[in-house]
Amino acid sequence: MQWSDQAIILGIRRHGESSVIAEVMTAAHGRHLGLVRSGRSRTMQPVLQPGNSVEVTWRARLDEHLGEFRVEPLQLRAARLMEAATSVYGIQALGALLRLLPERDPHPHLYEALAVIVDHLQDPADAGELFVRFELAVLNDLGFGLDLSECAATGARQGLVYVSPKSGRAVSREAGARYADRMLALPDFLSPGGHQAADHDSLAAAFRLTAYFLNRHVYEPRGLDASSVRDAFVHAALKALKSSPPSAA
């Protein structure tokens, strides 16, 4: 059994004296594990860092075996990702999200999204908005996608400001007014036709929105605790946005 694919390193763990087991997100083969012999060598250590893009060739006698990776570097981002708290915690939080999906289950659109996000993790506004959208995509792939396209009550596509905590569907301001205290806020940047970029308050609301549905549909049913690195990333992104000066008009 053998295949080659582009991949992004999610993490590694030691195996024996000199080898590691690498966890990667691939373009066509999903999240995948493989043994890298001499992975702790001086040559391989800088390559096998979370966030780096690599070319992997996987070999195994049988498909169900762990198998071995041969790894070639494509784009080494790890050093740059260590420069900001949003990128340090962001790459770990993205890995934790991808571990909610079955191993070896292809999700090419998530790989493409991941490749975009890792290049924007140092900018708090971009990183936060892209991360929220990634969480929504993961929820969708797990079968719990939110429908933010139109009002659940009226079918309207304008004035969507709420999300129903029961159905995960958008609700307009008018239709949801009497239930406003029970609704989740829908930030403008996530609504259809939204024109405002994410700011501190709207991003905080978006993080609360995705956290609610991840806890309800994924973590709690599986008996899991929410990822602590997600909390660290959220804190870092919101802190950076709050302390950054407003842009000139």
Side-chain angles (χ1 to χ4, degrees):
M1 305 297 299
Q2 178 174 323
W3 51 258
S4 295
D5 202 354
Q6 292 188 359
I8 295 174
I9 303 290
L10 299 179
I12 61 169
R13 65 175 186 265
R14 294 177 58 173
H15 184 83
E17 291 296 322
S18 61
S19 300
V20 300
I21 294 176
E23 180 182 30
V24 302
M25 184 63 182
T26 66
H29 298 83
R31 183 176 60 86
H32 212 290
L33 301 177
L35 178 70
V36 181
R37 297 194 182 278
S38 301
R40 297 176 60 202
S41 68
R42 290 184 178 181
T43 301
M44 291 306 301
Q45 280 186 351
V47 176
L48 298 174
Q49 296 298 315
N52 285 343
S53 288
V54 295
E55 179 84 16
V56 295
T57 299
W58 178 81
R59 293 191 183 95
R61 189 169 64 85
L62 297 174
D63 186 61
E64 61 266 26
H65 288 177
L66 172 65
E68 296 185 14
F69 280 147
R70 187 181 74 241
V71 182
E72 299 292 337
L74 294 177
Q75 185 175 356
L76 303 185
R77 306 181 183 88
R80 178 166 51 83
L81 292 177
M82 295 299 293
E83 296 175 358
T86 50
S87 49
V88 169
Y89 294 121
I91 188 62
Q92 298 178 60
L94 289 165
L97 273 174
L98 290 169
R99 292 182 191 107
L100 298 173
L101 300 167
E103 187 187 350
R104 306 188 182 190
D105 191 11
H107 296 269
H109 58 291
L110 291 183
Y111 170 80
E112 293 173 3
L114 179 65
V116 171
I117 295 173
V118 292
D119 282 328
H120 293 81
L121 281 175
Q122 289 175 294
D123 182 280
D126 287 346
E129 181 172 342
L130 289 170
F131 186 88
V132 164
R133 294 186 184 279
F134 193 82
E135 288 186 315
L136 291 172
V138 170
L139 276 167
N140 187 67
D141 281 23
L142 288 170
F144 307 111
L146 308 188
D147 183 357
L148 307 180
S149 62
E150 62 181 27
C151 177
T154 67
R157 294 178 176 271
Q158 301 296 323
L160 304 179
V161 297
Y162 303 116
V163 177
S164 166
K166 291 185 178 181
S167 67
R169 298 186 63 188
V171 180
S172 68
R173 186 184 305 277
E174 181 180 357
R178 73 172 74 178
Y179 309 108
D181 59 334
R182 306 178 198 173
M183 294 287 185
L184 296 164
L186 174 60
D188 181 76
F189 75 86
L190 289 180
S191 65
H195 300 296
Q196 295 183 4
D199 58 16
H200 176 275
D201 292 344
S202 63
L203 190 57
F207 283 137
R208 288 192 293 270
L209 177 67
T210 51
Y212 175 85
F213 287 102
L214 282 167
N215 286 327
R216 177 185 176 187
H217 293 304
V218 184
Y219 294 122
E220 291 177 3
R222 297 185 185 186
L224 301 174
D225 293 326
S227 168
S228 60
V229 289
R230 181 192 188 272
D231 292 340
F233 168 76
V234 169
H235 176 76
L238 294 179
K239 180 180 179 181
L241 275 181
K242 195 169 188 177
S243 61
S244 61
S247 58

